[in-house]
Amino acid sequence: MTYRDQIRRTLAALRWQIVEVHDDGDWWLDEAWILQSTGAAFGASLHVTFVVDPQWQGSRKAGQGVWCVRASTGPLKDWNDTSTEVASICMAKRRFEDKLLEFRDDVSAFARSAG
């Protein structure tokens, strides 16, 4: 299972449903999801953005070179925008499984505060 699948599964378990997937063409944006809560924070929205490594050089296939995954209350303005960040996973440090648990906990805390 890919890291993307694990994030999708984790968010689904927290009752977040992906309602839109897009890539607006910016060099730093691999893919962005817009999600809506179907749980306690019913109707709240969350944006999950797969951010490309700013030091990546050359051509890149979809999914390649992702450096960070950010969950935020709105769309990111650029690759290092953290102004509305709820949770993030930096792909360069520690084990992914540990970071995914922290991501889950941070998204859960956001849902409790939004609900």
Side-chain angles (χ1 to χ4, degrees):
M1 181 180 313
T2 68
Y3 71 88
R4 225 175 270 249
D5 292 334
Q6 292 178 61
I7 292 169
R8 184 180 292 114
R9 179 179 282 181
T10 296
L11 292 168
L14 295 174
R15 302 189 65 193
W16 288 94
Q17 179 182 14
I18 298 172
V19 295
E20 185 178 330
V21 176
H22 66 89
D23 164 14
D24 69 2
D26 288 325
W27 70 264
W28 56 269
L29 177 69
D30 182 62
E31 185 172 89
W33 302 344
I34 299 175
L35 300 96
Q36 289 212 311
S37 175
T38 60
F42 185 80
S45 64
L46 192 64
H47 294 247
V48 174
T49 307
F50 296 83
V51 179
V52 175
D53 185 339
Q55 296 183 26
W56 184 271
Q57 295 185 5
S59 61
R60 189 183 62 78
K61 295 178 184 177
Q64 190 177 27
V66 172
W67 162 70
C68 186
V69 181
R70 297 188 200 278
S72 57
T73 58
L76 301 184
K77 295 177 180 80
D78 57 38
W79 68 272
N80 64 351
D81 179 12
T82 59
S83 62
T84 61
E85 186 173 290
V86 170
S88 67
I89 300 175
C90 185
M91 306 303 262
K93 305 173 192 166
R94 296 184 300 142
R95 291 175 31 111
F96 178 79
E97 293 78 15
D98 296 334
K99 293 182 278 187
L100 184 58
L101 292 175
E102 289 177 16
F103 184 86
R104 179 202 64 196
D105 292 346
D106 290 344
V107 170
S108 292
F110 167 72
R112 284 191 301 276
S113 71

